[in-house]
Amino acid sequence: MVDLLTNKTDTLAKENKKTNETVLDIQSRSMCDNLIFSGIPENPSSDDPEALLKDFMISKLKLPPDTVDNITFHCVHRLGGPKSKKPRLIIAKLEHYKHKDLIKSKARELKGSNFRINDQFPKEINDRWKILYPIMKQHRQNNKRAYMVVDKLYVDGQLYRNLSTTPWLF
């Protein structure tokens, strides 16, 4: 009887893990067109983050104004309420993935500034990234080719798997 219950519990745990990973994948896919912009100062005279973002693209990313005019968004908003002196993040959901790629390709213009552009992922993916990033840096210091794809680390073309650091891969 105990063995039967143990087997059932193991089966349910595996199904639960698979369901959670499926939900996480769906969340990630729904955010695939989103970018997070940080460091863009608040403008008390304007409550239009989309206009602020387009001005930012022209002035800081050095995109031509006619190109910026063609970039369309589903939604652009600040995250949270104005509580601190630090500018709130801006989340932008772009209508076309090619526009997202264009913006990300110009992010190198921000090097050395306080501005950042990042992909948006669910919290669980960000937590996994925080675990894997130091490992990736260590492999790169050892002259290995290491890169990340969402929440997976590849070292010299092989998926990095370690039961203690990447339990979600088992």
Side-chain angles (χ1 to χ4, degrees), residues 2-57:
V2 172
D3 287 343
L4 178 65
L5 289 175
T6 302
N7 288 341
K8 272 283 199 207
T9 303
D10 290 345
T11 301
L12 288 173
K14 287 177 185 174
E15 288 176 11
N16 187 36
K17 181 180 177 187
K18 184 177 179 183
T19 302
N20 287 340
E21 289 299 316
T22 300
V23 168
L24 197 56
D25 182 58
I26 291 168
Q27 285 177 326
S28 293
R29 289 173 191 268
S30 75
M31 295 176 173
C32 76
D33 294 326
N34 296 5
L35 286 175
I36 299 175
F37 295 81
S38 60
I40 300 175
E42 308 265 347
N43 186 350
S45 63
S46 172
D47 195 26
D48 185 7
E50 184 172 335
L52 195 62
L53 204 50
K54 287 191 173 199
D55 288 343
F56 172 81
M57 287 185 225

Side-chain angles (χ1 to χ4, degrees), residues 128-140 148 153:
R128 291 174 181 182
W129 200 87
K130 287 176 186 173
I131 292 168
L132 292 173
Y133 186 74
I135 298 168
M136 180 181 72
K137 279 180 61 175
Q138 184 62 46
H139 283 290
R140 285 180 174 175
M148 289 184 36
L153 171 63

Side-chain angles (χ1 to χ4, degrees), residues 13 19 22 26 33 53 81 88 99 112 120 125 128 147 152 165:
T19 302
T22 300
I26 291 168
D33 294 326
L53 204 50
R88 295 175 289 162
H99 292 157
Q120 184 184 24
I125 300 287
R128 291 174 181 182
Y147 60 93
K152 294 175 180 66
T165 56

Side-chain angles (χ1 to χ4, degrees), residues 117-132:
I117 300 174
N118 296 303
D119 291 304
Q120 184 184 24
F121 290 106
K123 182 186 179 317
E124 293 87 348
I125 300 287
N126 288 335
D127 292 343
R128 291 174 181 182
W129 200 87
K130 287 176 186 173
I131 292 168
L132 292 173

Side-chain angles (χ1 to χ4, degrees), residues 45-130:
S45 63
S46 172
D47 195 26
D48 185 7
E50 184 172 335
L52 195 62
L53 204 50
K54 287 191 173 199
D55 288 343
F56 172 81
M57 287 185 225
I58 293 168
S59 64
K60 301 296 181 189
L61 297 180
K62 305 202 180 1
L63 285 168
D66 58 323
T67 301
V68 172
D69 287 341
N70 291 329
I71 295 175
T72 53
F73 301 96
H74 282 291
C75 179
V76 179
H77 61 91
R78 291 250 185 208
L79 203 58
K83 295 180 182 173
S84 71
K85 298 186 193 278
K86 201 165 112 176
R88 295 175 289 162
L89 301 175
I90 295 178
I91 308 249
K93 183 170 187 71
L94 290 107
E95 286 188 6
H96 302 286
Y97 192 82
K98 65 181 179 180
H99 292 157
K100 178 183 174 183
D101 281 343
L102 173 66
I103 293 167
K104 285 179 64 177
S105 74
K106 291 294 197 167
R108 68 182 174 276
E109 298 288 338
L110 303 175
K111 192 169 181 129
S113 74
N114 291 328
F115 303 111
R116 301 282 180 268
I117 300 174
N118 296 303
D119 291 304
Q120 184 184 24
F121 290 106
K123 182 186 179 317
E124 293 87 348
I125 300 287
N126 288 335
D127 292 343
R128 291 174 181 182
W129 200 87
K130 287 176 186 173

